[in-house]
Amino acid sequence: MTRCTDPHPPRWQQGWLSTARQLPSPNFGPRPVGMPVDLVVVHSISLPPGQYGTGCVQQLFTNQLDWEAHPYFQGIRGLEVSAHFFIERDGTLWQFVSTEDRAWHAGQSQWCERRNCNDFSIGIELEGLEGQTFEPPQYHALAQLCQALAAHHPIRHIAGHEHIAPGRKQDPGPGFDWPRLQAALPQLGVDYPAATQKA
């Protein structure tokens, strides 16, 4: 049987993925020396909340957001945050921070008895509203990205922001289909939060 292969497999250069639109963020820092990157954290975001395709997420992650453009922005004025990746509703993939660096996405957090998840994780934001559903192209792009990450880093866990910061964060929320992601990554061999396991 002939095995189909991607004629243009993703390539990495200093932690930047060739298949992503690259928009470097100033909001990052070094990881602790020798720290293995073994956790993927799934988030959700839309700016203003519930509005898609505005470009405001990209502006937020690059400190270019016009705080006067919408009343909601007053509540996050001056916020300096970033994620490594952002996946739009149509599956378009953006990258803001090298995976070799520490993005500012997790905040106060803990996973597997380790604190400060930013030190050892990759942050992926899905364009969406917390608790609502996501689009098929986003799941496809997320699965492909997780495969590429696992080929580049020793990924062992995938969790939501809600799992690493319970009580403080609720994204991506109940609208995210964890079994669907697991089914798309049968050979990855990673752990998922116990609450997301298929029955």
Side-chain angles (χ1 to χ4, degrees):
M1 179 181 292
T2 301
R3 183 177 180 180
C4 295
T5 57
D6 186 344
H8 303 289
R11 299 182 304 279
W12 293 94
Q13 185 173 10
Q14 297 181 327
W16 293 90
L17 185 62
S18 63
T19 53
R21 296 186 178 183
Q22 298 175 6
L23 187 63
S25 169
N27 304 328
F28 71 95
R31 296 188 187 275
V33 175
M35 177 71 70
V37 179
D38 60 8
L39 170 66
V40 168
V41 179
V42 180
H43 304 254
S44 64
I45 189 173
S46 56
L47 290 175
Q51 296 185 28
Y52 306 137
T54 65
C56 292
V57 173
Q58 292 92 327
Q59 293 167 17
L60 176 67
F61 289 165
T62 55
N63 298 344
Q64 300 295 316
L65 186 63
D66 178 2
W67 306 114
E68 307 297 333
H70 190 276
Y72 177 82
F73 298 161
Q74 294 302 312
I76 60 172
R77 178 184 283 272
L79 188 66
E80 294 185 348
V81 294
S82 62
H84 291 92
F85 297 95
F86 173 55
I87 301 175
E88 294 183 287
R89 302 294 283 184
D90 64 0
T92 300
L93 177 65
W94 294 81
Q95 184 173 4
F96 302 91
V97 176
S98 165
T99 62
E100 296 177 7
D101 291 319
R102 183 182 189 272
W104 302 346
H105 63 97
Q108 184 177 350
S109 53
Q110 179 174 318
W111 187 249
C112 293
E113 301 183 355
R114 295 178 296 170
R115 296 186 181 277
N116 302 317
C117 293
N118 281 338
D119 289 346
F120 54 89
S121 68
I122 303 292
I124 304 173
E125 294 274 5
L126 300 178
E127 187 175 35
L129 190 61
E130 180 180 288
Q132 299 300 309
T133 59
F134 299 87
E135 298 295 330
Q138 292 181 289
Y139 286 103
H140 179 72
L142 178 59
Q144 288 191 319
L145 177 56
C146 287
Q147 290 175 328
L149 289 169
H152 190 63
H153 294 283
I155 302 298
R156 296 292 177 265
H157 314 274
I158 301 177
H161 202 186
E162 61 196 302
H163 303 116
I164 66 169
R168 187 175 68 84
K169 294 294 183 179
Q170 290 81 41
D171 61 305
F176 184 77
D177 191 342
W178 286 98
R180 180 173 185 160
L181 179 62
Q182 290 175 259
L185 300 170
Q187 305 302 323
L188 212 56
V190 299
D191 295 326
Y192 297 86
T196 70
Q197 298 298 315
K198 293 181 287 187

